[in-house]
mmCIF file of all heavy atoms in Angstrom:
data_model
loop_
_atom_site.group_PDB
_atom_site.id
_atom_site.type_symbol
_atom_site.label_atom_id
_atom_site.label_comp_id
_atom_site.label_asym_id
_atom_site.label_seq_id
_atom_site.Cartn_x
_atom_site.Cartn_y
_atom_site.Cartn_z
ATOM 1 N N ILE L 1 60.401 -181.991 27.567
ATOM 2 C CA ILE L 1 60.244 -181.747 28.993
ATOM 3 C C ILE L 1 59.084 -182.488 29.512
ATOM 4 O O ILE L 1 59.058 -183.034 30.654
ATOM 5 C CB ILE L 1 60.013 -180.137 29.148
ATOM 6 C CG1 ILE L 1 61.373 -179.394 28.840
ATOM 7 C CG2 ILE L 1 59.570 -179.867 30.616
ATOM 8 C CD1 ILE L 1 61.137 -177.894 28.831
ATOM 9 N N LYS L 2 57.989 -182.568 28.735
ATOM 10 C CA LYS L 2 56.820 -183.249 29.141
ATOM 11 C C LYS L 2 57.096 -184.782 29.308
ATOM 12 O O LYS L 2 56.768 -185.467 30.223
ATOM 13 C CB LYS L 2 55.660 -183.109 28.138
ATOM 14 C CG LYS L 2 54.457 -183.948 28.400
ATOM 15 C CD LYS L 2 53.429 -183.722 27.332
ATOM 16 C CE LYS L 2 52.196 -184.580 27.593
ATOM 17 N NZ LYS L 2 51.160 -184.480 26.417
ATOM 18 N N ALA L 3 57.926 -185.377 28.307
ATOM 19 C CA ALA L 3 58.295 -186.738 28.377
ATOM 20 C C ALA L 3 59.166 -186.963 29.638
ATOM 21 O O ALA L 3 58.929 -187.982 30.270
ATOM 22 C CB ALA L 3 59.063 -187.136 27.079
ATOM 23 N N ALA L 4 60.095 -186.146 29.836
ATOM 24 C CA ALA L 4 60.937 -186.294 31.137
ATOM 25 C C ALA L 4 60.154 -186.252 32.310
ATOM 26 O O ALA L 4 60.413 -187.086 33.260
ATOM 27 C CB ALA L 4 62.035 -185.165 31.048
ATOM 28 N N SER L 5 59.106 -185.403 32.318
ATOM 29 C CA SER L 5 58.273 -185.344 33.568
ATOM 30 C C SER L 5 57.424 -186.614 33.783
ATOM 31 O O SER L 5 57.332 -187.106 34.946
ATOM 32 C CB SER L 5 57.264 -184.133 33.534
ATOM 33 O OG SER L 5 56.284 -184.267 32.563
ATOM 34 N N LEU L 6 56.901 -187.154 32.703
ATOM 35 C CA LEU L 6 56.129 -188.389 32.761
ATOM 36 C C LEU L 6 57.069 -189.545 33.160
ATOM 37 O O LEU L 6 56.711 -190.362 34.131
ATOM 38 C CB LEU L 6 55.509 -188.747 31.426
ATOM 39 C CG LEU L 6 54.286 -187.927 31.080
ATOM 40 C CD1 LEU L 6 53.818 -188.301 29.628
ATOM 41 C CD2 LEU L 6 53.095 -188.335 31.989
ATOM 42 N N ILE L 7 58.239 -189.733 32.561
ATOM 43 C CA ILE L 7 59.075 -190.870 32.841
ATOM 44 C C ILE L 7 59.657 -190.692 34.312
ATOM 45 O O ILE L 7 59.656 -191.535 35.007
ATOM 46 C CB ILE L 7 60.213 -190.973 31.804
ATOM 47 C CG1 ILE L 7 59.647 -191.300 30.444
ATOM 48 C CG2 ILE L 7 61.258 -191.981 32.228
ATOM 49 C CD1 ILE L 7 60.624 -191.200 29.292
ATOM 50 N N GLY L 8 60.105 -189.418 34.575
ATOM 51 C CA GLY L 8 60.764 -189.084 35.929
ATOM 52 C C GLY L 8 59.678 -189.328 36.953
ATOM 53 O O GLY L 8 59.972 -189.946 38.084
ATOM 54 N N GLY L 9 58.450 -188.869 36.768
ATOM 55 C CA GLY L 9 57.441 -189.007 37.870
ATOM 56 C C GLY L 9 57.130 -190.548 38.003
ATOM 57 O O GLY L 9 56.888 -191.002 39.105
ATOM 58 N N PHE L 10 56.904 -191.204 36.924
ATOM 59 C CA PHE L 10 56.728 -192.713 36.986
ATOM 60 C C PHE L 10 57.777 -193.419 37.789
ATOM 61 O O PHE L 10 57.430 -194.225 38.717
ATOM 62 C CB PHE L 10 56.616 -193.295 35.528
ATOM 63 C CG PHE L 10 56.469 -194.793 35.487
ATOM 64 C CD1 PHE L 10 55.260 -195.398 35.737
ATOM 65 C CD2 PHE L 10 57.564 -195.598 35.188
ATOM 66 C CE1 PHE L 10 55.143 -196.763 35.686
ATOM 67 C CE2 PHE L 10 57.466 -196.927 35.091
ATOM 68 C CZ PHE L 10 56.235 -197.591 35.342
ATOM 69 N N ILE L 11 59.039 -193.156 37.521
ATOM 70 C CA ILE L 11 60.147 -193.745 38.250
ATOM 71 C C ILE L 11 60.160 -193.306 39.687
ATOM 72 O O ILE L 11 60.259 -194.180 40.587
ATOM 73 C CB ILE L 11 61.457 -193.435 37.516
ATOM 74 C CG1 ILE L 11 61.495 -194.136 36.171
ATOM 75 C CG2 ILE L 11 62.645 -193.948 38.403
ATOM 76 C CD1 ILE L 11 62.746 -193.684 35.351
ATOM 77 N N ALA L 12 59.920 -192.040 39.926
ATOM 78 C CA ALA L 12 59.972 -191.568 41.327
ATOM 79 C C ALA L 12 58.883 -192.153 42.184
ATOM 80 O O ALA L 12 59.206 -192.553 43.315
ATOM 81 C CB ALA L 12 59.904 -189.996 41.237
ATOM 82 N N PHE L 13 57.674 -192.236 41.648
ATOM 83 C CA PHE L 13 56.548 -192.714 42.407
ATOM 84 C C PHE L 13 56.787 -194.244 42.720
ATOM 85 O O PHE L 13 56.486 -194.800 43.791
ATOM 86 C CB PHE L 13 55.263 -192.559 41.786
ATOM 87 C CG PHE L 13 54.563 -191.207 42.146
ATOM 88 C CD1 PHE L 13 55.132 -190.054 41.556
ATOM 89 C CD2 PHE L 13 53.472 -191.147 42.831
ATOM 90 C CE1 PHE L 13 54.480 -188.803 41.882
ATOM 91 C CE2 PHE L 13 52.849 -189.921 43.182
ATOM 92 C CZ PHE L 13 53.344 -188.771 42.660
ATOM 93 N N SER L 14 57.310 -194.904 41.673
ATOM 94 C CA SER L 14 57.608 -196.325 41.837
ATOM 95 C C SER L 14 58.642 -196.647 42.901
ATOM 96 O O SER L 14 58.414 -197.492 43.790
ATOM 97 C CB SER L 14 58.039 -196.938 40.489
ATOM 98 O OG SER L 14 57.130 -196.700 39.461
ATOM 99 N N LEU L 15 59.718 -195.835 42.809
ATOM 100 C CA LEU L 15 60.791 -196.004 43.880
ATOM 101 C C LEU L 15 60.323 -195.681 45.241
ATOM 102 O O LEU L 15 60.707 -196.364 46.168
ATOM 103 C CB LEU L 15 62.021 -195.225 43.462
ATOM 104 C CG LEU L 15 62.760 -195.624 42.162
ATOM 105 C CD1 LEU L 15 63.881 -194.689 41.912
ATOM 106 C CD2 LEU L 15 63.282 -197.078 42.303
ATOM 107 N N LEU L 16 59.436 -194.616 45.315
ATOM 108 C CA LEU L 16 58.892 -194.227 46.704
ATOM 109 C C LEU L 16 58.133 -195.359 47.262
ATOM 110 O O LEU L 16 58.285 -195.689 48.449
ATOM 111 C CB LEU L 16 58.164 -192.933 46.469
ATOM 112 C CG LEU L 16 57.510 -192.386 47.765
ATOM 113 C CD1 LEU L 16 58.708 -191.903 48.677
ATOM 114 C CD2 LEU L 16 56.701 -191.159 47.471
ATOM 115 N N VAL L 17 57.245 -195.964 46.495
ATOM 116 C CA VAL L 17 56.370 -197.012 47.004
ATOM 117 C C VAL L 17 57.232 -198.251 47.371
ATOM 118 O O VAL L 17 57.114 -198.966 48.304
ATOM 119 C CB VAL L 17 55.289 -197.413 45.988
ATOM 120 C CG1 VAL L 17 54.569 -198.655 46.512
ATOM 121 C CG2 VAL L 17 54.304 -196.294 45.811
ATOM 122 N N MET L 18 58.262 -198.535 46.472
ATOM 123 C CA MET L 18 59.187 -199.635 46.740
ATOM 124 C C MET L 18 59.994 -199.464 47.956
ATOM 125 O O MET L 18 60.044 -200.388 48.823
ATOM 126 C CB MET L 18 60.125 -199.863 45.556
ATOM 127 C CG MET L 18 60.966 -201.063 45.631
ATOM 128 S SD MET L 18 61.938 -201.322 44.097
ATOM 129 C CE MET L 18 62.824 -202.808 44.545
ATOM 130 N N PHE L 19 60.365 -198.171 48.307
ATOM 131 C CA PHE L 19 61.061 -197.940 49.537
ATOM 132 C C PHE L 19 60.109 -197.989 50.738
ATOM 133 O O PHE L 19 60.470 -198.737 51.745
ATOM 134 C CB PHE L 19 61.564 -196.474 49.566
ATOM 135 C CG PHE L 19 62.102 -195.989 50.845
ATOM 136 C CD1 PHE L 19 63.295 -196.441 51.344
ATOM 137 C CD2 PHE L 19 61.332 -195.138 51.646
ATOM 138 C CE1 PHE L 19 63.748 -196.056 52.585
ATOM 139 C CE2 PHE L 19 61.715 -194.674 52.852
ATOM 140 C CZ PHE L 19 62.990 -195.109 53.360
ATOM 141 N N ALA L 20 58.857 -197.526 50.613
ATOM 142 C CA ALA L 20 57.922 -197.709 51.688
ATOM 143 C C ALA L 20 57.540 -199.037 52.043
ATOM 144 O O ALA L 20 57.263 -199.468 53.225
ATOM 145 C CB ALA L 20 56.587 -196.932 51.311
ATOM 146 N N LEU L 21 57.576 -200.022 51.040
ATOM 147 C CA LEU L 21 57.344 -201.427 51.319
ATOM 148 C C LEU L 21 58.549 -202.202 51.660
ATOM 149 O O LEU L 21 58.512 -203.426 51.858
ATOM 150 C CB LEU L 21 56.690 -201.986 50.004
ATOM 151 C CG LEU L 21 55.308 -201.507 49.708
ATOM 152 C CD1 LEU L 21 54.828 -202.080 48.264
ATOM 153 C CD2 LEU L 21 54.269 -201.944 50.704
ATOM 154 N N GLY L 22 59.733 -201.503 51.709
ATOM 155 C CA GLY L 22 60.986 -202.242 52.097
ATOM 156 C C GLY L 22 61.645 -202.950 50.986
ATOM 157 O O GLY L 22 62.405 -203.910 51.260
ATOM 158 N N GLY L 23 61.409 -202.625 49.750
ATOM 159 C CA GLY L 23 61.825 -203.315 48.630
ATOM 160 C C GLY L 23 63.331 -203.291 48.368
ATOM 161 O O GLY L 23 63.955 -204.092 47.625
ATOM 162 N N PHE L 24 63.973 -202.312 49.070
ATOM 163 C CA PHE L 24 65.508 -202.207 48.901
ATOM 164 C C PHE L 24 66.185 -202.942 50.064
ATOM 165 O O PHE L 24 67.429 -202.909 50.185
ATOM 166 C CB PHE L 24 65.935 -200.760 48.917
ATOM 167 C CG PHE L 24 65.319 -199.977 47.753
ATOM 168 C CD1 PHE L 24 64.303 -199.098 47.823
ATOM 169 C CD2 PHE L 24 65.861 -200.256 46.500
ATOM 170 C CE1 PHE L 24 63.870 -198.407 46.788
ATOM 171 C CE2 PHE L 24 65.358 -199.579 45.340
ATOM 172 C CZ PHE L 24 64.391 -198.685 45.577
ATOM 173 N N GLY L 25 65.440 -203.655 50.853
ATOM 174 C CA GLY L 25 66.117 -204.450 51.961
ATOM 175 C C GLY L 25 66.509 -205.844 51.462
ATOM 176 O O GLY L 25 66.732 -206.035 50.294
ATOM 177 N N LYS L 26 66.491 -206.837 52.381
ATOM 178 C CA LYS L 26 66.880 -208.140 52.102
ATOM 179 C C LYS L 26 65.962 -208.761 51.018
ATOM 180 O O LYS L 26 64.739 -208.700 51.203
ATOM 181 C CB LYS L 26 66.825 -208.998 53.387
ATOM 182 C CG LYS L 26 67.346 -210.438 53.189
ATOM 183 C CD LYS L 26 67.339 -211.192 54.501
ATOM 184 C CE LYS L 26 67.657 -212.654 54.407
ATOM 185 N NZ LYS L 26 68.956 -212.831 53.720
ATOM 186 N N GLY L 27 66.497 -209.315 49.973
ATOM 187 C CA GLY L 27 65.707 -210.007 48.930
ATOM 188 C C GLY L 27 65.932 -209.194 47.659
ATOM 189 O O GLY L 27 65.730 -209.778 46.532
ATOM 190 N N PHE L 28 66.341 -207.902 47.731
ATOM 191 C CA PHE L 28 66.364 -207.179 46.523
ATOM 192 C C PHE L 28 67.533 -207.716 45.529
ATOM 193 O O PHE L 28 67.265 -207.763 44.400
ATOM 194 C CB PHE L 28 66.798 -205.729 46.832
ATOM 195 C CG PHE L 28 66.899 -204.782 45.633
ATOM 196 C CD1 PHE L 28 65.863 -204.616 44.826
ATOM 197 C CD2 PHE L 28 68.153 -204.266 45.335
ATOM 198 C CE1 PHE L 28 65.933 -203.764 43.632
ATOM 199 C CE2 PHE L 28 68.340 -203.440 44.283
ATOM 200 C CZ PHE L 28 67.210 -203.221 43.383
ATOM 201 N N SER L 29 68.603 -208.107 46.076
ATOM 202 C CA SER L 29 69.676 -208.704 45.325
ATOM 203 C C SER L 29 69.643 -210.134 45.093
ATOM 204 O O SER L 29 70.506 -210.678 44.335
ATOM 205 C CB SER L 29 71.036 -208.219 45.820
ATOM 206 O OG SER L 29 71.269 -208.797 47.142
ATOM 207 N N GLU L 30 68.761 -210.820 45.725
ATOM 208 C CA GLU L 30 68.822 -212.322 45.728
ATOM 209 C C GLU L 30 68.392 -212.921 44.460
ATOM 210 O O GLU L 30 68.547 -214.138 44.247
ATOM 211 C CB GLU L 30 68.121 -212.831 46.920
ATOM 212 C CG GLU L 30 68.706 -212.549 48.250
ATOM 213 C CD GLU L 30 67.959 -213.093 49.449
ATOM 214 O OE1 GLU L 30 66.858 -213.655 49.257
ATOM 215 O OE2 GLU L 30 68.415 -212.955 50.577
ATOM 216 N N SER L 31 67.753 -212.172 43.603
ATOM 217 C CA SER L 31 67.242 -212.680 42.359
ATOM 218 C C SER L 31 68.208 -212.602 41.211
ATOM 219 O O SER L 31 67.978 -212.982 40.084
ATOM 220 C CB SER L 31 65.928 -211.995 41.915
ATOM 221 O OG SER L 31 66.228 -210.618 41.769
ATOM 222 N N GLU L 32 69.420 -212.162 41.593
ATOM 223 C CA GLU L 32 70.432 -212.012 40.525
ATOM 224 C C GLU L 32 70.920 -213.373 39.959
ATOM 225 O O GLU L 32 70.965 -214.406 40.746
ATOM 226 C CB GLU L 32 71.648 -211.245 41.001
ATOM 227 C CG GLU L 32 71.303 -209.752 41.339
ATOM 228 C CD GLU L 32 72.472 -209.087 41.911
ATOM 229 O OE1 GLU L 32 73.592 -209.674 41.990
ATOM 230 O OE2 GLU L 32 72.358 -207.845 42.287
ATOM 231 N N GLY L 33 71.165 -213.455 38.665
ATOM 232 C CA GLY L 33 71.651 -214.712 38.062
ATOM 233 C C GLY L 33 70.471 -215.469 37.471
ATOM 234 O O GLY L 33 69.323 -215.273 37.773
ATOM 235 N N GLY L 34 70.797 -216.334 36.589
ATOM 236 C CA GLY L 34 69.767 -217.134 35.943
ATOM 237 C C GLY L 34 69.041 -216.520 34.789
ATOM 238 O O GLY L 34 68.025 -217.130 34.278
ATOM 239 N N LEU L 35 69.503 -215.384 34.302
ATOM 240 C CA LEU L 35 68.832 -214.712 33.179
ATOM 241 C C LEU L 35 68.963 -215.638 31.992
ATOM 242 O O LEU L 35 70.044 -216.051 31.582
ATOM 243 C CB LEU L 35 69.440 -213.331 32.938
ATOM 244 C CG LEU L 35 68.905 -212.494 31.870
ATOM 245 C CD1 LEU L 35 67.477 -212.072 32.252
ATOM 246 C CD2 LEU L 35 69.780 -211.311 31.525
ATOM 247 N N GLY L 36 67.909 -215.719 31.265
ATOM 248 C CA GLY L 36 67.869 -216.616 30.028
ATOM 249 C C GLY L 36 67.288 -217.982 30.194
ATOM 250 O O GLY L 36 66.964 -218.576 29.294
ATOM 251 N N GLY L 37 67.209 -218.412 31.470
ATOM 252 C CA GLY L 37 66.652 -219.727 31.777
ATOM 253 C C GLY L 37 65.100 -219.814 31.672
ATOM 254 O O GLY L 37 64.528 -220.861 31.644
#
């Protein structure tokens, strides 16, 4: 339960800040491809 709260909180706070900064808008999917280069 403690582990789930730490991981869940870490992810939730990260996503909240990413949303506040507009990270899910234009640009989020443009980095796809090129993995391994």
Side-chain angles (χ1 to χ4, degrees):
I1 292 172
K2 178 182 176 182
S5 71
L6 282 173
I7 295 170
F10 173 77
I11 293 172
F13 273 71
S14 303
L15 293 178
L16 183 63
V17 173
M18 191 171 176
F19 170 75
L21 292 172
F24 295 108
K26 183 176 174 60
F28 179 65
S29 63
E30 291 180 357
S31 61
E32 293 178 3
L35 184 67

